[in-house]
Amino acid sequence: MLTQYQECIDACYLCAAACDNCAASCLNEENLEMMRDCIRLDMQCANICRLSAQFMALESDSAKKLCALCAEICQQCGDECGKHQHDHCQQCAKACHNCAEACRKMAA
């Protein structure tokens, strides 16, 4: 059963890593105030992505519900990161939007 989840699990872990990198990189930007929402969403997104991947790996009955919420948070994070021109933000936005799509498919 895990193979049906593998694409989404992989997308979740890639997204979590991109979000962690983005948050850490944002802390080094000059205008930290401008990056506040990006950092906040990065941390939330990374956490729910890791949790969603874990629930899928455990074949939890709640995995689909959690993935639906994960898709929403990934979309929000990707949209916020996409507003910033830093490479780490643009890479994070792409990973978040890819994960949101994978989670939507999984939750369907």
Side-chain angles (χ1 to χ4, degrees), residues 47-91:
N47 284 320
I48 197 160
C49 283
R50 280 190 282 273
L51 185 61
S52 295
Q54 182 181 26
F55 271 51
M56 286 182 279
L58 292 169
E59 298 180 10
S60 170
D61 292 339
S62 299
K64 287 188 178 197
K65 291 178 191 171
L66 190 56
C67 282
L69 178 59
C70 186
E72 290 179 32
I73 294 171
C74 285
Q75 187 67 49
Q76 290 173 9
C77 187
D79 291 349
E80 178 61 33
C81 287
K83 295 177 184 176
H84 306 285
Q85 294 307 309
H86 310 292
D87 286 342
H88 56 85
C89 288
Q90 291 299 310
Q91 291 169 1

Side-chain angles (χ1 to χ4, degrees), residues 4-42:
Q4 79 183 55
Y5 300 138
Q6 196 60 55
E7 181 182 337
C8 192
I9 289 171
D10 292 346
C12 283
Y13 280 129
L14 287 171
C15 185
C19 287
D20 286 342
N21 177 65
C22 187
S25 297
C26 284
L27 289 171
N28 293 320
E29 295 297 338
E30 286 184 26
N31 188 349
L32 195 55
E33 182 62 33
M34 181 180 74
M35 306 311 293
R36 183 181 304 260
D37 287 339
C38 188
I39 296 166
R40 180 179 52 79
L41 284 166
D42 282 338

